[in-house]
Amino acid sequence: MIKKKWIIITAVTTISLISGVLVGPVMSNVEIPNYEVLLTDQNIEIRRYQPMIIAEVEIKGDRKDAINRGFRLLANYIFGNNTVQKSIAMTAPVQQQENKKIAMTAPVQQQSNGDSWKVSFVMPSEYNMDNLPKPNNARVSINEISAKKFAVIKFSGFNTNNNVATHEKQLMSYAESNQLKITGSPKYAFYNPPWTLPFMRRNEVMVNINENQEINFE
């Protein structure tokens, strides 16, 4: 009986581990922002992002608490707490209001703003400022972002303060060594659902580079 019990426990554990490995990537198979990689240097990339629309909230508090609270507010918006404005044929300007679920995207982004944090989702590329559903919650703002150039460091593991700070320091050192002109504060990007195994996770620290800077690498 004891041997049989351990066989069952081992089987369940194995299935759970396999599920963790598979489910993470499957659940993360969502649209991400469109960008061009201009240069790759080990785990650091220089990217040019296309214009995008983001849904954003501003949250006071420590980083981990802010991203959790911000995520919930943004998820509430994309899962239907929004208003779609539609003109009805032959009866204009009468309008109809309805809720609409918006597809999930990755990553969820976080950026320091003094004593608070800005948490944002990039909206699916099918939307523009005219047809994107309007948030019912006034705390959620919709902003259009122009094309930008970023230096980005990629890393795995949990998004702990120590892990994030370690890679932010590496990225800033790289930027200084290569005389990159940084604008604004670093932005953090997390791509995976919470049940993804640490080694399967994709995390990034990003810094905005002056678009007009000529970058010459040795």
Side-chain angles (χ1 to χ4, degrees), residues 73-138:
L73 287 171
L74 292 170
N76 183 252
Y77 160 61
I78 68 172
F79 290 146
N81 188 17
N82 57 60
T83 300
V84 179
Q85 301 286 340
K86 285 189 176 180
S87 294
I88 303 174
M90 303 298 293
T91 60
V94 175
Q95 293 184 318
Q96 180 184 30
Q97 294 184 334
E98 64 179 7
N99 294 337
K100 183 174 182 179
K101 185 176 179 179
I102 302 169
M104 280 289 294
T105 62
V108 57
Q109 298 180 325
Q110 183 179 32
Q111 186 173 28
S112 176
N113 186 38
D115 63 346
S116 62
W117 294 89
K118 290 183 176 180
V119 182
S120 62
F121 282 163
V122 177
M123 294 293 95
S125 57
E126 66 186 271
Y127 292 104
N128 56 48
M129 292 296 286
D130 295 325
N131 65 15
L132 185 66
K134 306 299 186 289
N136 290 332
N137 188 335

Side-chain angles (χ1 to χ4, degrees), residues 1-189:
M1 283 296 293
I2 295 177
K3 183 177 181 180
K4 184 177 181 181
K5 179 180 178 181
W6 277 109
I7 291 174
I8 294 173
I9 292 174
T10 301
V12 170
T13 302
T14 302
I15 292 172
S16 298
L17 287 172
I18 294 173
S19 298
V21 170
L22 295 178
V23 171
V26 170
M27 294 301 293
S28 301
N29 187 25
V30 295
E31 183 178 352
I32 64 175
N34 186 23
Y35 62 83
E36 174 189 5
V37 178
L38 304 178
L39 179 141
T40 300
D41 188 353
Q42 298 184 53
N43 63 334
I44 292 178
E45 292 180 343
I46 306 298
R47 303 174 184 169
R48 177 176 286 113
Y49 280 82
Q50 297 301 311
M52 66 185 75
I53 298 173
I54 63 170
E56 184 175 68
V57 293
E58 190 163 340
I59 306 290
K60 290 188 176 182
D62 63 51
R63 190 186 67 82
K64 293 288 289 184
D65 180 60
I67 197 169
N68 289 333
R69 289 162 55 202
F71 181 92
R72 288 195 293 270
L73 287 171
L74 292 170
N76 183 252
Y77 160 61
I78 68 172
F79 290 146
N81 188 17
N82 57 60
T83 300
V84 179
Q85 301 286 340
K86 285 189 176 180
S87 294
I88 303 174
M90 303 298 293
T91 60
V94 175
Q95 293 184 318
Q96 180 184 30
Q97 294 184 334
E98 64 179 7
N99 294 337
K100 183 174 182 179
K101 185 176 179 179
I102 302 169
M104 280 289 294
T105 62
V108 57
Q109 298 180 325
Q110 183 179 32
Q111 186 173 28
S112 176
N113 186 38
D115 63 346
S116 62
W117 294 89
K118 290 183 176 180
V119 182
S120 62
F121 282 163
V122 177
M123 294 293 95
S125 57
E126 66 186 271
Y127 292 104
N128 56 48
M129 292 296 286
D130 295 325
N131 65 15
L132 185 66
K134 306 299 186 289
N136 290 332
N137 188 335
R139 295 189 65 182
V140 179
S141 63
I142 305 297
N143 301 304
E144 195 166 14
I145 308 299
S146 61
K148 293 182 182 294
K149 190 185 297 181
F150 283 89
V152 182
I153 187 169
K154 300 186 292 184
F155 57 101
S156 60
F158 291 113
N159 62 337
T160 61
N161 289 337
N162 184 60
N163 200 15
V164 171
T166 296
H167 289 89
E168 180 180 333
K169 183 177 180 180
Q170 291 177 17
L171 180 62
M172 298 306 288
S173 177
Y174 181 88
E176 182 178 357
S177 297
N178 289 279
Q179 299 181 327
L180 300 181
K181 297 178 181 177
I182 303 301
T183 60
S185 59
K187 180 179 291 187
Y188 310 138

